[in-house]
Amino acid sequence: MSPFPAPYRVFLVWATVLLAGLGSTALPIRLSAQEYDLIIRSGRLIDGTGNPWFAADIGIAGDRIVRIGNLGEATARRVVDATDMYVTPGFIDLHSHADRAMTSEHLEARRAKSLNSQGLTTVLGAADGRSTTWPLPAEIASLRSQGHAMNFVPMVGHSTVRREVLGDDYERPATPEEIARMRALVGEGMEAGAWGLGAGVEYRPARFSEPEEVIALAGAVAPYDGFYIAHQRSEAAMPLWQLPSNVDNWPVDGLQGLEETVNIAREAGIRVVASHHKARGRSSFGRSGQDTLVVNRAREEGLEVYLDVYPYETFGGGPRPMIPRWSLVHDTLDTSGGRDSPVYSAPGILDDARSHLERRWADPELRALIARDIAWIVDHNGGPDRVVVVGYPDSTYVGRTLDELAREMEITYQGVVVHMALSGYPDVLGGAWTRGYGIHDADIVNYYQQDYTATASDAAVSGVEGVPEFASRPGAHPRHFGAFTRKISRYVKDLKAISLPFAVRSMTGLPARIVGLEDRGFLREGYKADLVIFDLARLRDRATVLEPDRFSEGVDYVMVNGVFTVDGGEFTDELPGEVILRPGRSGR
């Protein structure tokens, strides 16, 4: 045991680091023989800058990295041998849906094992513009009162403040007075410690906002050096909520959605992120070339524009129906509000879905409308050869594409969709669970090769036994268990599209720079001890669409604020996560 108490040992180390920075005139201090709580020895350090790895030891005291280098004969309470393993900063997720679990009453959900096991140590709140709790100090208090495994970066949700001001009367542009009230709420959130504004302008209620509203609210974070991050108005040939049967004007496409985000940077004078960015849908395959031209030109103009991208060709948290909802409801129902209309959530609205679909499919004119909408939905999900059945009463359908089934049944793929809706699970919309691969790997590679692209998961906590809202099921997105490990295993190891240091930078130093975190994201003395140690040879994501709750391999250690949450490949069940507030803010 050290002759000094733990706080004094930390003081000794900090004093040494400080004096070392003063130059050769500083008096030397002989360190205590047991100055460290932990030494990580002989690792290959990737520091988060994008530079190549280098061999070094890391000394940790309390929750800080206090020494990086050859620690020689120094000792510690514990030593981890990282020979032939890579040591990196903890991974930071710019687009995470972990906030519901982290503020929940369920302890196992707050441990967030599906995410933490990938190396995630810090996540952002208010993804898609939705805060779990408002006002923001209440969310911060909820997080602090219960404990959680990962760090949390609070954000102000655009949709949240819009509902606060407009209530249920949100299907319209906001008035100048309402925008002023929303700006005031954004300011209150920033004063409480938020880092920026999160938005989801393809979703209700934010999709009814005018660009001028979003610019005004983004401008409210500028005095705080805040940033804007958005699920954009569209990522495809038209927004998610539209179909050919209900388009009444020229739809917004994915390129226009990106251009709106760029213009927010221009008008508000802040950093912006096009979040979980993608060229979504078969008709958009290859659009990454245009997108990168737009971002490159914006950056040449002096605008700080970034992307974050997840490493999968499939999108959406769960399986998706291929049938248009309007075909399943009574003629008297007003369905002009789009695919996301609240009318579809009314109790009993789909009770006679099969009879309504059967009647319409028998009418040649309505049949043509249904077939056209199915064609759009399927194209949006990658095309009939990229939409796979993941759940159906007849197990011979599972794992097969709509195209394969159509050839076997000698009908159109639209006919397959209708057949499953009429003959499949009676309590499942569309009768079957299906998942499309509506993103092309060529676009993902192109995005990932840009130095302004960060990694994201768009994932929630999943696989929590006994808690239905955090449970996993076949057809769920594998990103909940594998996004960050897949970035390395597929795009570094398999495709060799990017280097390992470049990939690590996209998960660590780059997102830390985007957010503005001052002591995380890099391996540096004085920084918080958020670390990941992995074996590159074994590193592999294992989750699939049919088995989405399989943990990744190769991540042997994860440390959050100096405490292991994964130790030797085993969970410790510790809850060392912090709510990271902007400097000088208390969260009240």
Side-chain angles (χ1 to χ4, degrees), residues 278-532:
K278 60 183 77 71
R280 190 174 67 204
R282 195 182 198 96
S283 297
S284 295
F285 286 176
R287 203 195 68 224
S288 63
Q290 295 175 294
D291 290 346
T292 53
L293 283 175
V294 167
V295 177
N296 289 337
R297 287 170 182 166
R299 294 186 66 85
E300 288 169 5
E301 186 184 333
L303 305 177
E304 272 199 75
V305 180
Y306 300 92
L307 310 178
D308 70 54
V309 174
Y310 57 68
Y312 292 95
E313 293 186 275
T314 185
F315 63 90
R320 311 179 74 86
M322 298 294 124
I323 196 82
R325 294 187 181 193
W326 66 263
S327 67
L328 307 174
V329 298
H330 198 276
D331 293 336
T332 58
L333 191 70
D334 180 5
T335 59
S336 61
R339 296 171 72 188
D340 63 352
S341 174
V343 301
Y344 293 118
S345 300
I349 206 70
L350 297 170
D351 285 352
D352 298 318
R354 288 185 173 181
S355 62
H356 292 310
L357 176 60
E358 197 167 23
R359 169 177 55 82
R360 288 189 173 100
W361 193 244
D363 181 316
E365 185 174 342
L366 293 176
R367 183 188 187 111
L369 285 177
I370 294 170
R372 184 186 180 198
D373 277 359
I374 292 173
W376 158 251
I377 297 171
V378 170
D379 178 274
H380 188 227
N381 284 273
D385 59 332
R386 292 171 67 93
V387 173
V388 179
V389 178
V390 296
Y392 191 68
D394 185 345
S395 61
T396 64
Y397 283 44
V398 175
R400 303 176 70 188
T401 67
L402 296 181
D403 194 45
E404 291 170 338
L405 292 168
R407 289 199 303 271
E408 180 180 292
M409 299 166 70
E410 298 184 341
I411 56 176
T412 65
Y413 68 85
Q414 293 99 322
V416 174
V417 171
V418 172
H419 168 77
M420 291 192 297
L422 294 174
S423 307
Y425 296 116
D427 58 344
V428 173
L429 184 67
W433 288 312
T434 51
R435 176 165 281 283
Y437 291 79
I439 307 167
H440 201 284
D441 224 7
D443 287 312
I444 299 173
V445 167
N446 192 15
Y447 293 134
Y448 274 166
Q449 290 176 336
Q450 312 308 314
D451 59 8
Y452 47 73
T453 300
T455 306
S457 74
D458 195 15
V461 171
S462 185
V464 181
E465 288 189 31
V467 185
E469 62 183 306
F470 303 117
S472 181
R473 65 175 182 179
H477 203 297
R479 66 194 182 198
H480 303 303
F481 279 79
F484 277 69
T485 45
R486 181 176 176 81
K487 172 70 176 278
I488 295 173
S489 66
R490 177 158 180 79
Y491 296 94
V492 174
K493 292 174 61 176
D494 296 347
L495 299 183
K496 297 178 172 54
I498 52 177
S499 72
L500 180 59
F502 192 77
V504 169
R505 171 186 171 272
S506 78
M507 306 173 179
T508 58
L510 179 59
R513 169 67 189 90
I514 292 170
V515 176
L517 301 176
E518 296 180 348
D519 58 359
R520 300 178 199 268
F522 299 95
L523 295 183
R524 289 177 180 164
E525 293 176 356
Y527 271 50
K528 289 282 192 175
D530 293 348
L531 304 173
V532 182

